[in-house]
Amino acid sequence: MNKTRSEAKALISELIANEDIKKADCGVVICVPFTNLETALELTKGTNIKVGAENCHFEKSGAFTGEISADMLVEMGVEYVIIGHSERRQYFGETDETVNKRTLAALNAGLKVILCVGETLSQREDNITEEIVSIQTKIALKGVTAEQLKNVIIAYEPVWAIGTGRTATSEQAAEVCGFIRGIASKLYSKTDADALTIQYGGSMNPKNADELLAQEDIDGGLIGGASLKSADFASLIVSVSK
């Protein structure tokens, strides 16, 4: 929940003008609040920057005041949507089951899904990270076909490393990302799992990006605070492009 329309216009304009972002050898997606979607879509026309929403509802329409459907996003021209972000789970009652329903609704509408999974600090301290991530991943992907999986990006975001300044070590992050790929391999096939993009989403910034992205199973980043400064975001794009 950052940036008014005028603030979003200023930031996106800086991103569009940045030469490092123009030359990016990777996908670049900005996921903005609903009120900024039209602004972002208009500004990014003809550029290499794609636009995503931060959530969507699992029903096509109905008495769900304040919610936005996947079809509404598709009609606007939105390509991506974040589903199951830890803040949605923590503050707004998101469950593994509703994450699955939103994922299926988004994929069936033609959106690409950035699916978030990750453990809390107490769960990591209790040594149940793999159990939690396994349950979240398996339930989220229930009913998702191998063909639909091509439109899914999984973001591992350890909840304890979001907005806290704490970051998982590159080894910790890589271990869980590799574990997620292993789950996908069992649910689908090794070929499908190898083709799956798995991002790290726990306070990636210009200082730690190179080390994190050097890990075999980390394919990119779901960027939080560092995306609000164009120079920092561009620096991360350079790191991913390497």
PDB file of all heavy atoms in Angstrom, residues 32-37 52-76 78 80-83 88 101-102 105-106 109 111:
ATOM      1  N   VAL A  32       1.335  -3.098  -8.627  1.00  0.00           N
ATOM      2  CA  VAL A  32       0.950  -1.827  -7.996  1.00  0.00           C
ATOM      3  C   VAL A  32      -0.436  -1.936  -7.367  1.00  0.00           C
ATOM      4  O   VAL A  32      -1.217  -2.824  -7.709  1.00  0.00           O
ATOM      5  CB  VAL A  32       0.969  -0.682  -9.032  1.00  0.00           C
ATOM      6  CG1 VAL A  32       2.333  -0.589  -9.698  1.00  0.00           C
ATOM      7  CG2 VAL A  32      -0.122  -0.871 -10.094  1.00  0.00           C
ATOM      8  N   PRO A  33      -0.765  -1.032  -6.434  1.00  0.00           N
ATOM      9  CA  PRO A  33      -2.115  -1.002  -5.876  1.00  0.00           C
ATOM     10  C   PRO A  33      -3.165  -0.833  -6.980  1.00  0.00           C
ATOM     11  O   PRO A  33      -2.880  -0.281  -8.049  1.00  0.00           O
ATOM     12  CB  PRO A  33      -2.096   0.227  -4.950  1.00  0.00           C
ATOM     13  CG  PRO A  33      -0.656   0.384  -4.569  1.00  0.00           C
ATOM     14  CD  PRO A  33       0.110  -0.016  -5.794  1.00  0.00           C
ATOM     15  N   PHE A  34      -4.391  -1.307  -6.713  1.00  0.00           N
ATOM     16  CA  PHE A  34      -5.454  -1.257  -7.723  1.00  0.00           C
ATOM     17  C   PHE A  34      -5.639   0.142  -8.297  1.00  0.00           C
ATOM     18  O   PHE A  34      -5.861   0.307  -9.500  1.00  0.00           O
ATOM     19  CB  PHE A  34      -6.775  -1.737  -7.113  1.00  0.00           C
ATOM     20  CG  PHE A  34      -6.792  -3.201  -6.773  1.00  0.00           C
ATOM     21  CD1 PHE A  34      -7.128  -3.625  -5.501  1.00  0.00           C
ATOM     22  CD2 PHE A  34      -6.472  -4.159  -7.723  1.00  0.00           C
ATOM     23  CE1 PHE A  34      -7.146  -4.982  -5.176  1.00  0.00           C
ATOM     24  CE2 PHE A  34      -6.480  -5.516  -7.416  1.00  0.00           C
ATOM     25  CZ  PHE A  34      -6.818  -5.926  -6.132  1.00  0.00           C
ATOM     26  N   THR A  35      -5.528   1.183  -7.450  1.00  0.00           N
ATOM     27  CA  THR A  35      -5.765   2.551  -7.909  1.00  0.00           C
ATOM     28  C   THR A  35      -4.693   3.040  -8.867  1.00  0.00           C
ATOM     29  O   THR A  35      -4.885   4.052  -9.556  1.00  0.00           O
ATOM     30  CB  THR A  35      -5.837   3.517  -6.714  1.00  0.00           C
ATOM     31  OG1 THR A  35      -4.678   3.343  -5.893  1.00  0.00           O
ATOM     32  CG2 THR A  35      -7.083   3.260  -5.882  1.00  0.00           C
ATOM     33  N   ASN A  36      -3.571   2.337  -8.939  1.00  0.00           N
ATOM     34  CA  ASN A  36      -2.470   2.749  -9.814  1.00  0.00           C
ATOM     35  C   ASN A  36      -2.352   1.898 -11.077  1.00  0.00           C
ATOM     36  O   ASN A  36      -1.473   2.138 -11.901  1.00  0.00           O
ATOM     37  CB  ASN A  36      -1.135   2.690  -9.061  1.00  0.00           C
ATOM     38  CG  ASN A  36      -1.059   3.693  -7.935  1.00  0.00           C
ATOM     39  OD1 ASN A  36      -1.765   4.700  -7.942  1.00  0.00           O
ATOM     40  ND2 ASN A  36      -0.223   3.424  -6.953  1.00  0.00           N
ATOM     41  N   LEU A  37      -3.228   0.924 -11.232  1.00  0.00           N
ATOM     42  CA  LEU A  37      -3.096   0.006 -12.364  1.00  0.00           C
ATOM     43  C   LEU A  37      -3.229   0.720 -13.709  1.00  0.00           C
ATOM     44  O   LEU A  37      -2.424   0.509 -14.618  1.00  0.00           O
ATOM     45  CB  LEU A  37      -4.125  -1.126 -12.258  1.00  0.00           C
ATOM     46  CG  LEU A  37      -3.794  -2.220 -11.240  1.00  0.00           C
ATOM     47  CD1 LEU A  37      -4.972  -3.166 -11.065  1.00  0.00           C
ATOM     48  CD2 LEU A  37      -2.551  -2.999 -11.654  1.00  0.00           C
ATOM     49  N   GLY A  52       1.425  -5.929 -12.870  1.00  0.00           N
ATOM     50  CA  GLY A  52       0.663  -6.902 -12.109  1.00  0.00           C
ATOM     51  C   GLY A  52      -0.123  -6.235 -10.992  1.00  0.00           C
ATOM     52  O   GLY A  52       0.169  -5.108 -10.581  1.00  0.00           O
ATOM     53  N   ALA A  53      -1.134  -6.956 -10.497  1.00  0.00           N
ATOM     54  CA  ALA A  53      -1.911  -6.510  -9.342  1.00  0.00           C
ATOM     55  C   ALA A  53      -1.384  -7.221  -8.096  1.00  0.00           C
ATOM     56  O   ALA A  53      -0.627  -8.190  -8.194  1.00  0.00           O
ATOM     57  CB  ALA A  53      -3.394  -6.813  -9.540  1.00  0.00           C
ATOM     58  N   GLU A  54      -1.806  -6.759  -6.932  1.00  0.00           N
ATOM     59  CA  GLU A  54      -1.294  -7.300  -5.675  1.00  0.00           C
ATOM     60  C   GLU A  54      -2.207  -8.356  -5.066  1.00  0.00           C
ATOM     61  O   GLU A  54      -1.868  -8.959  -4.046  1.00  0.00           O
ATOM     62  CB  GLU A  54      -1.053  -6.158  -4.680  1.00  0.00           C
ATOM     63  CG  GLU A  54       0.016  -5.188  -5.167  1.00  0.00           C
ATOM     64  CD  GLU A  54       0.282  -4.042  -4.206  1.00  0.00           C
ATOM     65  OE1 GLU A  54      -0.432  -3.925  -3.180  1.00  0.00           O
ATOM     66  OE2 GLU A  54       1.212  -3.264  -4.480  1.00  0.00           O
ATOM     67  N   ASN A  55      -3.367  -8.600  -5.714  1.00  0.00           N
ATOM     68  CA  ASN A  55      -4.304  -9.594  -5.209  1.00  0.00           C
ATOM     69  C   ASN A  55      -5.469  -9.673  -6.183  1.00  0.00           C
ATOM     70  O   ASN A  55      -5.638  -8.797  -7.030  1.00  0.00           O
ATOM     71  CB  ASN A  55      -4.815  -9.197  -3.809  1.00  0.00           C
ATOM     72  CG  ASN A  55      -5.552 -10.332  -3.107  1.00  0.00           C
ATOM     73  OD1 ASN A  55      -5.338 -11.506  -3.390  1.00  0.00           O
ATOM     74  ND2 ASN A  55      -6.427  -9.985  -2.182  1.00  0.00           N
ATOM     75  N   CYS A  56      -6.278 -10.719  -6.083  1.00  0.00           N
ATOM     76  CA  CYS A  56      -7.566 -10.758  -6.764  1.00  0.00           C
ATOM     77  C   CYS A  56      -8.477 -11.724  -6.024  1.00  0.00           C
ATOM     78  O   CYS A  56      -8.012 -12.580  -5.268  1.00  0.00           O
ATOM     79  CB  CYS A  56      -7.438 -11.155  -8.240  1.00  0.00           C
ATOM     80  SG  CYS A  56      -7.082 -12.900  -8.535  1.00  0.00           S
ATOM     81  N   HIS A  57      -9.779 -11.586  -6.242  1.00  0.00           N
ATOM     82  CA  HIS A  57     -10.743 -12.459  -5.573  1.00  0.00           C
ATOM     83  C   HIS A  57     -10.945 -13.739  -6.377  1.00  0.00           C
ATOM     84  O   HIS A  57     -10.592 -13.797  -7.555  1.00  0.00           O
ATOM     85  CB  HIS A  57     -12.083 -11.733  -5.377  1.00  0.00           C
ATOM     86  CG  HIS A  57     -12.960 -12.368  -4.350  1.00  0.00           C
ATOM     87  ND1 HIS A  57     -13.942 -13.278  -4.664  1.00  0.00           N
ATOM     88  CD2 HIS A  57     -12.976 -12.242  -2.999  1.00  0.00           C
ATOM     89  CE1 HIS A  57     -14.534 -13.684  -3.550  1.00  0.00           C
ATOM     90  NE2 HIS A  57     -13.967 -13.069  -2.529  1.00  0.00           N
ATOM     91  N   PHE A  58     -11.511 -14.754  -5.708  1.00  0.00           N
ATOM     92  CA  PHE A  58     -11.658 -16.045  -6.388  1.00  0.00           C
ATOM     93  C   PHE A  58     -13.005 -16.209  -7.088  1.00  0.00           C
ATOM     94  O   PHE A  58     -13.182 -17.150  -7.853  1.00  0.00           O
ATOM     95  CB  PHE A  58     -11.430 -17.213  -5.415  1.00  0.00           C
ATOM     96  CG  PHE A  58     -12.075 -17.063  -4.073  1.00  0.00           C
ATOM     97  CD1 PHE A  58     -13.424 -17.315  -3.893  1.00  0.00           C
ATOM     98  CD2 PHE A  58     -11.324 -16.670  -2.983  1.00  0.00           C
ATOM     99  CE1 PHE A  58     -14.013 -17.193  -2.653  1.00  0.00           C
ATOM    100  CE2 PHE A  58     -11.902 -16.540  -1.721  1.00  0.00           C
ATOM    101  CZ  PHE A  58     -13.257 -16.803  -1.557  1.00  0.00           C
ATOM    102  N   GLU A  59     -13.962 -15.303  -6.841  1.00  0.00           N
ATOM    103  CA  GLU A  59     -15.235 -15.367  -7.559  1.00  0.00           C
ATOM    104  C   GLU A  59     -15.205 -14.410  -8.743  1.00  0.00           C
ATOM    105  O   GLU A  59     -14.484 -13.420  -8.743  1.00  0.00           O
ATOM    106  CB  GLU A  59     -16.388 -14.985  -6.623  1.00  0.00           C
ATOM    107  CG  GLU A  59     -16.588 -15.946  -5.451  1.00  0.00           C
ATOM    108  CD  GLU A  59     -17.111 -17.315  -5.863  1.00  0.00           C
ATOM    109  OE1 GLU A  59     -17.470 -17.486  -7.051  1.00  0.00           O
ATOM    110  OE2 GLU A  59     -17.159 -18.211  -5.006  1.00  0.00           O
ATOM    111  N   LYS A  60     -16.018 -14.712  -9.750  1.00  0.00           N
ATOM    112  CA  LYS A  60     -16.025 -13.880 -10.952  1.00  0.00           C
ATOM    113  C   LYS A  60     -16.773 -12.570 -10.723  1.00  0.00           C
ATOM    114  O   LYS A  60     -16.450 -11.547 -11.319  1.00  0.00           O
ATOM    115  CB  LYS A  60     -16.652 -14.653 -12.122  1.00  0.00           C
ATOM    116  CG  LYS A  60     -15.830 -15.866 -12.541  1.00  0.00           C
ATOM    117  CD  LYS A  60     -16.460 -16.590 -13.716  1.00  0.00           C
ATOM    118  CE  LYS A  60     -16.199 -15.910 -15.030  1.00  0.00           C
ATOM    119  NZ  LYS A  60     -14.778 -15.961 -15.430  1.00  0.00           N
ATOM    120  N   SER A  61     -17.790 -12.609  -9.846  1.00  0.00           N
ATOM    121  CA  SER A  61     -18.556 -11.405  -9.515  1.00  0.00           C
ATOM    122  C   SER A  61     -19.435 -11.739  -8.313  1.00  0.00           C
ATOM    123  O   SER A  61     -19.457 -12.873  -7.852  1.00  0.00           O
ATOM    124  CB  SER A  61     -19.430 -10.950 -10.698  1.00  0.00           C
ATOM    125  OG  SER A  61     -20.403 -11.945 -11.002  1.00  0.00           O
ATOM    126  N   GLY A  62     -20.146 -10.735  -7.802  1.00  0.00           N
ATOM    127  CA  GLY A  62     -21.069 -11.005  -6.701  1.00  0.00           C
ATOM    128  C   GLY A  62     -20.955 -10.022  -5.561  1.00  0.00           C
ATOM    129  O   GLY A  62     -20.325  -8.963  -5.674  1.00  0.00           O
ATOM    130  N   ALA A  63     -21.567 -10.402  -4.439  1.00  0.00           N
ATOM    131  CA  ALA A  63     -21.643  -9.514  -3.274  1.00  0.00           C
ATOM    132  C   ALA A  63     -20.375  -9.609  -2.438  1.00  0.00           C
ATOM    133  O   ALA A  63     -20.359 -10.179  -1.343  1.00  0.00           O
ATOM    134  CB  ALA A  63     -22.870  -9.885  -2.431  1.00  0.00           C
ATOM    135  N   PHE A  64     -19.304  -9.072  -2.980  1.00  0.00           N
ATOM    136  CA  PHE A  64     -17.997  -9.094  -2.306  1.00  0.00           C
ATOM    137  C   PHE A  64     -17.427  -7.672  -2.322  1.00  0.00           C
ATOM    138  O   PHE A  64     -16.393  -7.400  -2.950  1.00  0.00           O
ATOM    139  CB  PHE A  64     -17.042 -10.074  -2.992  1.00  0.00           C
ATOM    140  CG  PHE A  64     -17.605 -11.469  -3.079  1.00  0.00           C
ATOM    141  CD1 PHE A  64     -18.159 -11.932  -4.260  1.00  0.00           C
ATOM    142  CD2 PHE A  64     -17.593 -12.305  -1.968  1.00  0.00           C
ATOM    143  CE1 PHE A  64     -18.689 -13.214  -4.341  1.00  0.00           C
ATOM    144  CE2 PHE A  64     -18.122 -13.581  -2.038  1.00  0.00           C
ATOM    145  CZ  PHE A  64     -18.675 -14.044  -3.231  1.00  0.00           C
ATOM    146  N   THR A  65     -18.126  -6.782  -1.654  1.00  0.00           N
ATOM    147  CA  THR A  65     -17.794  -5.362  -1.678  1.00  0.00           C
ATOM    148  C   THR A  65     -16.317  -5.112  -1.384  1.00  0.00           C
ATOM    149  O   THR A  65     -15.770  -5.626  -0.413  1.00  0.00           O
ATOM    150  CB  THR A  65     -18.646  -4.601  -0.650  1.00  0.00           C
ATOM    151  OG1 THR A  65     -20.035  -4.792  -0.972  1.00  0.00           O
ATOM    152  CG2 THR A  65     -18.326  -3.118  -0.662  1.00  0.00           C
ATOM    153  N   GLY A  66     -15.705  -4.337  -2.255  1.00  0.00           N
ATOM    154  CA  GLY A  66     -14.296  -3.991  -2.060  1.00  0.00           C
ATOM    155  C   GLY A  66     -13.326  -4.919  -2.752  1.00  0.00           C
ATOM    156  O   GLY A  66     -12.132  -4.633  -2.795  1.00  0.00           O
ATOM    157  N   GLU A  67     -13.829  -6.029  -3.325  1.00  0.00           N
ATOM    158  CA  GLU A  67     -12.942  -6.994  -3.972  1.00  0.00           C
ATOM    159  C   GLU A  67     -12.854  -6.758  -5.488  1.00  0.00           C
ATOM    160  O   GLU A  67     -13.714  -6.106  -6.082  1.00  0.00           O
ATOM    161  CB  GLU A  67     -13.437  -8.426  -3.699  1.00  0.00           C
ATOM    162  CG  GLU A  67     -13.331  -8.845  -2.244  1.00  0.00           C
ATOM    163  CD  GLU A  67     -11.891  -8.880  -1.760  1.00  0.00           C
ATOM    164  OE1 GLU A  67     -11.036  -9.443  -2.449  1.00  0.00           O
ATOM    165  OE2 GLU A  67     -11.623  -8.328  -0.681  1.00  0.00           O
ATOM    166  N   ILE A  68     -11.800  -7.319  -6.080  1.00  0.00           N
ATOM    167  CA  ILE A  68     -11.546  -7.181  -7.515  1.00  0.00           C
ATOM    168  C   ILE A  68     -11.387  -8.575  -8.108  1.00  0.00           C
ATOM    169  O   ILE A  68     -10.622  -9.400  -7.585  1.00  0.00           O
ATOM    170  CB  ILE A  68     -10.252  -6.378  -7.775  1.00  0.00           C
ATOM    171  CG1 ILE A  68     -10.287  -5.026  -7.063  1.00  0.00           C
ATOM    172  CG2 ILE A  68     -10.007  -6.218  -9.271  1.00  0.00           C
ATOM    173  CD1 ILE A  68     -11.288  -4.044  -7.588  1.00  0.00           C
ATOM    174  N   SER A  69     -12.090  -8.862  -9.196  1.00  0.00           N
ATOM    175  CA  SER A  69     -12.007 -10.189  -9.806  1.00  0.00           C
ATOM    176  C   SER A  69     -10.868 -10.273 -10.818  1.00  0.00           C
ATOM    177  O   SER A  69     -10.372  -9.254 -11.309  1.00  0.00           O
ATOM    178  CB  SER A  69     -13.323 -10.533 -10.503  1.00  0.00           C
ATOM    179  OG  SER A  69     -13.457  -9.787 -11.712  1.00  0.00           O
ATOM    180  N   ALA A  70     -10.501 -11.496 -11.134  1.00  0.00           N
ATOM    181  CA  ALA A  70      -9.448 -11.727 -12.129  1.00  0.00           C
ATOM    182  C   ALA A  70      -9.870 -11.208 -13.498  1.00  0.00           C
ATOM    183  O   ALA A  70      -9.069 -10.630 -14.246  1.00  0.00           O
ATOM    184  CB  ALA A  70      -9.119 -13.220 -12.194  1.00  0.00           C
ATOM    185  N   ASP A  71     -11.135 -11.398 -13.842  1.00  0.00           N
ATOM    186  CA  ASP A  71     -11.631 -10.917 -15.139  1.00  0.00           C
ATOM    187  C   ASP A  71     -11.520  -9.404 -15.251  1.00  0.00           C
ATOM    188  O   ASP A  71     -11.237  -8.870 -16.328  1.00  0.00           O
ATOM    189  CB  ASP A  71     -13.089 -11.334 -15.337  1.00  0.00           C
ATOM    190  CG  ASP A  71     -13.230 -12.823 -15.617  1.00  0.00           C
ATOM    191  OD1 ASP A  71     -12.240 -13.453 -16.024  1.00  0.00           O
ATOM    192  OD2 ASP A  71     -14.338 -13.365 -15.424  1.00  0.00           O
ATOM    193  N   MET A  72     -11.758  -8.699 -14.150  1.00  0.00           N
ATOM    194  CA  MET A  72     -11.625  -7.240 -14.159  1.00  0.00           C
ATOM    195  C   MET A  72     -10.190  -6.841 -14.479  1.00  0.00           C
ATOM    196  O   MET A  72      -9.951  -5.885 -15.231  1.00  0.00           O
ATOM    197  CB  MET A  72     -12.036  -6.663 -12.799  1.00  0.00           C
ATOM    198  CG  MET A  72     -13.501  -6.794 -12.457  1.00  0.00           C
ATOM    199  SD  MET A  72     -13.821  -6.249 -10.755  1.00  0.00           S
ATOM    200  CE  MET A  72     -15.573  -6.554 -10.620  1.00  0.00           C
ATOM    201  N   LEU A  73      -9.244  -7.573 -13.915  1.00  0.00           N
ATOM    202  CA  LEU A  73      -7.829  -7.280 -14.160  1.00  0.00           C
ATOM    203  C   LEU A  73      -7.447  -7.569 -15.606  1.00  0.00           C
ATOM    204  O   LEU A  73      -6.758  -6.777 -16.256  1.00  0.00           O
ATOM    205  CB  LEU A  73      -6.956  -8.097 -13.207  1.00  0.00           C
ATOM    206  CG  LEU A  73      -7.111  -7.813 -11.711  1.00  0.00           C
ATOM    207  CD1 LEU A  73      -6.251  -8.774 -10.896  1.00  0.00           C
ATOM    208  CD2 LEU A  73      -6.737  -6.371 -11.393  1.00  0.00           C
ATOM    209  N   VAL A  74      -7.903  -8.713 -16.104  1.00  0.00           N
ATOM    210  CA  VAL A  74      -7.579  -9.099 -17.484  1.00  0.00           C
ATOM    211  C   VAL A  74      -8.133  -8.080 -18.470  1.00  0.00           C
ATOM    212  O   VAL A  74      -7.468  -7.695 -19.437  1.00  0.00           O
ATOM    213  CB  VAL A  74      -8.140 -10.507 -17.789  1.00  0.00           C
ATOM    214  CG1 VAL A  74      -8.027 -10.818 -19.280  1.00  0.00           C
ATOM    215  CG2 VAL A  74      -7.386 -11.558 -16.981  1.00  0.00           C
ATOM    216  N   GLU A  75      -9.361  -7.623 -18.243  1.00  0.00           N
ATOM    217  CA  GLU A  75      -9.977  -6.651 -19.144  1.00  0.00           C
ATOM    218  C   GLU A  75      -9.160  -5.359 -19.221  1.00  0.00           C
ATOM    219  O   GLU A  75      -9.081  -4.715 -20.269  1.00  0.00           O
ATOM    220  CB  GLU A  75     -11.396  -6.327 -18.674  1.00  0.00           C
ATOM    221  CG  GLU A  75     -12.143  -5.405 -19.629  1.00  0.00           C
ATOM    222  CD  GLU A  75     -13.485  -4.973 -19.081  1.00  0.00           C
ATOM    223  OE1 GLU A  75     -13.557  -4.606 -17.890  1.00  0.00           O
ATOM    224  OE2 GLU A  75     -14.454  -4.976 -19.852  1.00  0.00           O
ATOM    225  N   MET A  76      -8.514  -5.002 -18.104  1.00  0.00           N
ATOM    226  CA  MET A  76      -7.682  -3.796 -18.074  1.00  0.00           C
ATOM    227  C   MET A  76      -6.380  -3.962 -18.843  1.00  0.00           C
ATOM    228  O   MET A  76      -5.768  -2.991 -19.255  1.00  0.00           O
ATOM    229  CB  MET A  76      -7.339  -3.431 -16.627  1.00  0.00           C
ATOM    230  CG  MET A  76      -8.494  -2.953 -15.786  1.00  0.00           C
ATOM    231  SD  MET A  76      -7.935  -2.531 -14.119  1.00  0.00           S
ATOM    232  CE  MET A  76      -7.037  -0.999 -14.464  1.00  0.00           C
ATOM    233  N   VAL A  78      -3.966  -6.163 -17.421  1.00  0.00           N
ATOM    234  CA  VAL A  78      -3.005  -6.636 -16.414  1.00  0.00           C
ATOM    235  C   VAL A  78      -2.570  -8.056 -16.781  1.00  0.00           C
ATOM    236  O   VAL A  78      -3.391  -8.875 -17.212  1.00  0.00           O
ATOM    237  CB  VAL A  78      -3.652  -6.619 -15.009  1.00  0.00           C
ATOM    238  CG1 VAL A  78      -2.738  -7.257 -13.975  1.00  0.00           C
ATOM    239  CG2 VAL A  78      -3.993  -5.191 -14.610  1.00  0.00           C
ATOM    240  N   TYR A  80      -0.116  -9.968 -14.641  1.00  0.00           N
ATOM    241  CA  TYR A  80       0.321 -10.734 -13.471  1.00  0.00           C
ATOM    242  C   TYR A  80      -0.510 -10.380 -12.245  1.00  0.00           C
ATOM    243  O   TYR A  80      -1.100  -9.304 -12.171  1.00  0.00           O
ATOM    244  CB  TYR A  80       1.794 -10.420 -13.145  1.00  0.00           C
ATOM    245  CG  TYR A  80       2.788 -10.929 -14.143  1.00  0.00           C
ATOM    246  CD1 TYR A  80       3.034 -10.225 -15.331  1.00  0.00           C
ATOM    247  CD2 TYR A  80       3.519 -12.095 -13.911  1.00  0.00           C
ATOM    248  CE1 TYR A  80       3.957 -10.685 -16.252  1.00  0.00           C
ATOM    249  CE2 TYR A  80       4.453 -12.554 -14.823  1.00  0.00           C
ATOM    250  CZ  TYR A  80       4.668 -11.846 -15.992  1.00  0.00           C
ATOM    251  OH  TYR A  80       5.594 -12.297 -16.903  1.00  0.00           O
ATOM    252  N   VAL A  81      -0.524 -11.295 -11.271  1.00  0.00           N
ATOM    253  CA  VAL A  81      -1.142 -10.996  -9.989  1.00  0.00           C
ATOM    254  C   VAL A  81      -0.398 -11.759  -8.893  1.00  0.00           C
ATOM    255  O   VAL A  81       0.004 -12.904  -9.085  1.00  0.00           O
ATOM    256  CB  VAL A  81      -2.646 -11.361  -9.975  1.00  0.00           C
ATOM    257  CG1 VAL A  81      -2.873 -12.861 -10.181  1.00  0.00           C
ATOM    258  CG2 VAL A  81      -3.305 -10.902  -8.675  1.00  0.00           C
ATOM    259  N   ILE A  82      -0.177 -11.088  -7.774  1.00  0.00           N
ATOM    260  CA  ILE A  82       0.429 -11.738  -6.610  1.00  0.00           C
ATOM    261  C   ILE A  82      -0.678 -12.421  -5.816  1.00  0.00           C
ATOM    262  O   ILE A  82      -1.713 -11.818  -5.546  1.00  0.00           O
ATOM    263  CB  ILE A  82       1.139 -10.704  -5.709  1.00  0.00           C
ATOM    264  CG1 ILE A  82       2.274 -10.004  -6.474  1.00  0.00           C
ATOM    265  CG2 ILE A  82       1.693 -11.382  -4.450  1.00  0.00           C
ATOM    266  CD1 ILE A  82       2.901  -8.852  -5.700  1.00  0.00           C
ATOM    267  N   ILE A  83      -0.452 -13.666  -5.454  1.00  0.00           N
ATOM    268  CA  ILE A  83      -1.433 -14.411  -4.664  1.00  0.00           C
ATOM    269  C   ILE A  83      -0.750 -14.970  -3.407  1.00  0.00           C
ATOM    270  O   ILE A  83       0.343 -15.544  -3.482  1.00  0.00           O
ATOM    271  CB  ILE A  83      -2.028 -15.587  -5.471  1.00  0.00           C
ATOM    272  CG1 ILE A  83      -2.740 -15.087  -6.734  1.00  0.00           C
ATOM    273  CG2 ILE A  83      -2.978 -16.421  -4.594  1.00  0.00           C
ATOM    274  CD1 ILE A  83      -3.996 -14.299  -6.475  1.00  0.00           C
ATOM    275  N   ARG A  88      -1.083 -10.718   3.315  1.00  0.00           N
ATOM    276  CA  ARG A  88      -2.484 -11.113   3.144  1.00  0.00           C
ATOM    277  C   ARG A  88      -2.833 -12.237   4.124  1.00  0.00           C
ATOM    278  O   ARG A  88      -3.924 -12.267   4.693  1.00  0.00           O
ATOM    279  CB  ARG A  88      -2.748 -11.595   1.714  1.00  0.00           C
ATOM    280  CG  ARG A  88      -2.467 -10.594   0.606  1.00  0.00           C
ATOM    281  CD  ARG A  88      -3.245  -9.323   0.705  1.00  0.00           C
ATOM    282  NE  ARG A  88      -4.674  -9.516   0.908  1.00  0.00           N
ATOM    283  CZ  ARG A  88      -5.538  -8.505   1.096  1.00  0.00           C
ATOM    284  NH1 ARG A  88      -5.123  -7.253   1.123  1.00  0.00           N
ATOM    285  NH2 ARG A  88      -6.817  -8.754   1.277  1.00  0.00           N
ATOM    286  N   LYS A 101      -7.885 -21.170  -4.263  1.00  0.00           N
ATOM    287  CA  LYS A 101      -9.043 -20.705  -5.032  1.00  0.00           C
ATOM    288  C   LYS A 101      -8.695 -19.471  -5.856  1.00  0.00           C
ATOM    289  O   LYS A 101      -9.096 -19.350  -7.019  1.00  0.00           O
ATOM    290  CB  LYS A 101     -10.209 -20.412  -4.085  1.00  0.00           C
ATOM    291  CG  LYS A 101     -10.806 -21.654  -3.439  1.00  0.00           C
ATOM    292  CD  LYS A 101     -11.744 -21.324  -2.293  1.00  0.00           C
ATOM    293  CE  LYS A 101     -13.056 -20.760  -2.774  1.00  0.00           C
ATOM    294  NZ  LYS A 101     -14.037 -20.609  -1.644  1.00  0.00           N
ATOM    295  N   ARG A 102      -7.919 -18.564  -5.274  1.00  0.00           N
ATOM    296  CA  ARG A 102      -7.504 -17.364  -6.013  1.00  0.00           C
ATOM    297  C   ARG A 102      -6.554 -17.736  -7.157  1.00  0.00           C
ATOM    298  O   ARG A 102      -6.623 -17.157  -8.253  1.00  0.00           O
ATOM    299  CB  ARG A 102      -6.828 -16.370  -5.070  1.00  0.00           C
ATOM    300  CG  ARG A 102      -7.745 -15.755  -4.029  1.00  0.00           C
ATOM    301  CD  ARG A 102      -6.973 -14.779  -3.133  1.00  0.00           C
ATOM    302  NE  ARG A 102      -7.642 -14.549  -1.858  1.00  0.00           N
ATOM    303  CZ  ARG A 102      -8.625 -13.687  -1.658  1.00  0.00           C
ATOM    304  NH1 ARG A 102      -9.058 -12.933  -2.654  1.00  0.00           N
ATOM    305  NH2 ARG A 102      -9.174 -13.552  -0.457  1.00  0.00           N
ATOM    306  N   ALA A 105      -8.570 -19.240  -9.980  1.00  0.00           N
ATOM    307  CA  ALA A 105      -9.373 -18.204 -10.635  1.00  0.00           C
ATOM    308  C   ALA A 105      -8.509 -17.331 -11.536  1.00  0.00           C
ATOM    309  O   ALA A 105      -8.890 -17.009 -12.666  1.00  0.00           O
ATOM    310  CB  ALA A 105     -10.071 -17.343  -9.583  1.00  0.00           C
ATOM    311  N   ALA A 106      -7.336 -16.963 -11.040  1.00  0.00           N
ATOM    312  CA  ALA A 106      -6.436 -16.115 -11.825  1.00  0.00           C
ATOM    313  C   ALA A 106      -5.934 -16.833 -13.066  1.00  0.00           C
ATOM    314  O   ALA A 106      -5.935 -16.275 -14.174  1.00  0.00           O
ATOM    315  CB  ALA A 106      -5.263 -15.671 -10.951  1.00  0.00           C
ATOM    316  N   ALA A 109      -8.536 -17.292 -15.701  1.00  0.00           N
ATOM    317  CA  ALA A 109      -8.866 -16.029 -16.376  1.00  0.00           C
ATOM    318  C   ALA A 109      -7.769 -15.604 -17.349  1.00  0.00           C
ATOM    319  O   ALA A 109      -7.969 -14.676 -18.134  1.00  0.00           O
ATOM    320  CB  ALA A 109      -9.094 -14.929 -15.342  1.00  0.00           C
ATOM    321  N   LEU A 111      -4.409 -14.928 -16.266  1.00  0.00           N
ATOM    322  CA  LEU A 111      -3.338 -14.186 -15.599  1.00  0.00           C
ATOM    323  C   LEU A 111      -2.156 -15.093 -15.282  1.00  0.00           C
ATOM    324  O   LEU A 111      -2.300 -16.306 -15.152  1.00  0.00           O
ATOM    325  CB  LEU A 111      -3.856 -13.576 -14.294  1.00  0.00           C
ATOM    326  CG  LEU A 111      -4.876 -12.444 -14.402  1.00  0.00           C
ATOM    327  CD1 LEU A 111      -5.530 -12.193 -13.052  1.00  0.00           C
ATOM    328  CD2 LEU A 111      -4.211 -11.173 -14.922  1.00  0.00           C
TER     329      LEU A 111
END
